[in-house]
Amino acid sequence: DEKPSNASNRARNIGFELYLNSIFLKAGFKPEYDTAADLSFNVGNARYFVEAKRPTTNKAIKNVITDANSQLNCRLKSSLSKKNKGLIALDLTKIINPDDKIMPVHNEEYLFDLMYNEDKLQIDSLRKFWNKKKHKRTIGVLFHYRLLTNFYKNEQLSTVKWIGAVALCDDPEFSLITNKLQNVVREIC
């Protein structure tokens, strides 16, 4: 009965932050809770700050990315180490599926093709936003999607959780992070 126009997203926002913390932990990155960032963890000598956002409309995307960049700018400018880095995490579920429809799929290969294509579409459409006022040590953007799917052959309903990524600079640790996260997400789904 909740209406999007007057509903509070606070609980879902916190849920997304907790979900991110759990998959990072499962992937071997120990979350640190001594910063104001939505998620913080260490890889080697670098501390990573992650700002998690859940835009619910296409109009909101620019603002949430601007907000994430602003938060990361503050964290990275005030951090003592110049090795520290930033990441933006976007849950785009409501953007690609605003009506929570079930996605019909033929098989897993077809599903993966659809999700990779969705990543490509989002990268192309959002590129103009995440580079504006970005700190030079903000190295990437993670995309998260959660969709209910129906596999034609066996009429099986399945929730798909997907992590996509786009590197904003050449950083080998970003590839390591995204590979570990993608493996964990597939394991728990």
Side-chain angles (χ1 to χ4, degrees):
D1 295 335
E2 192 173 59
K3 295 178 183 170
S5 60
N6 64 6
S8 169
N9 283 314
R10 183 163 161 65
R12 283 181 288 277
N13 292 344
I14 291 170
F16 180 50
E17 292 170 19
L18 291 172
Y19 171 73
L20 280 177
N21 277 266
S22 69
I23 64 169
F24 271 82
L25 180 63
K26 180 108 172 124
F29 304 106
K30 183 182 174 205
E32 301 285 334
Y33 301 106
D34 58 346
T35 73
D38 294 333
L39 169 63
S40 178
F41 63 96
N42 295 311
V43 175
N45 294 328
R47 162 84 46 113
Y48 286 78
F49 301 106
V50 181
E51 291 303 331
K53 303 295 176 194
R54 288 183 55 257
T56 54
T57 65
N58 282 315
K59 288 181 182 179
I61 291 175
K62 178 183 177 186
N63 291 338
V64 299
I65 292 174
T66 299
D67 188 37
N69 273 328
S70 176
Q71 290 172 316
L72 289 170
N73 277 322
C74 289
R75 298 200 203 308
L76 292 168
K77 284 178 184 175
S78 66
S79 71
L80 299 176
S81 173
K82 299 298 179 201
K83 294 180 180 180
N84 294 346
K85 300 174 184 177
L87 296 169
I88 298 172
L90 299 172
D91 182 349
L92 298 177
T93 302
K94 282 291 188 187
I95 301 303
I96 68 167
N97 190 7
D99 298 321
D100 292 323
K101 292 184 178 180
I102 297 173
M103 182 170 65
V105 294
H106 304 290
N107 53 40
E108 277 192 25
E109 184 179 326
Y110 178 71
L111 175 60
F112 285 138
D113 287 345
L114 287 174
M115 297 311 295
Y116 285 120
N117 286 335
E118 189 59 47
D119 277 348
K120 193 174 173 185
L121 286 170
Q122 295 304 324
I123 290 167
D124 290 343
S125 70
L126 301 178
R127 176 177 286 122
K128 60 188 171 222
F129 300 130
W130 58 61
N131 285 317
K132 287 186 179 178
K133 299 181 183 177
K134 173 187 84 67
H135 193 283
K136 66 182 177 183
R137 287 184 278 135
T138 297
I139 62 164
V141 181
L142 302 172
F143 302 131
H144 173 261
Y145 315 99
R146 181 187 35 77
L147 302 163
L148 186 60
T149 60
N150 180 14
F151 286 86
Y152 284 136
K153 286 184 182 178
N154 57 9
E155 293 297 316
Q156 177 184 353
L157 290 176
S158 178
T159 299
V160 173
K161 292 184 180 177
W162 183 268
I163 297 281
V166 59
L168 301 179
C169 64
D170 186 26
D171 188 297
E173 290 173 342
F174 184 65
S175 295
L176 168 85
I177 293 166
T178 56
N179 287 338
K180 285 186 171 188
L181 291 175
Q182 288 167 344
N183 287 335
V184 166
V185 168
R186 289 187 185 122
E187 180 185 320
I188 54 180
C189 295

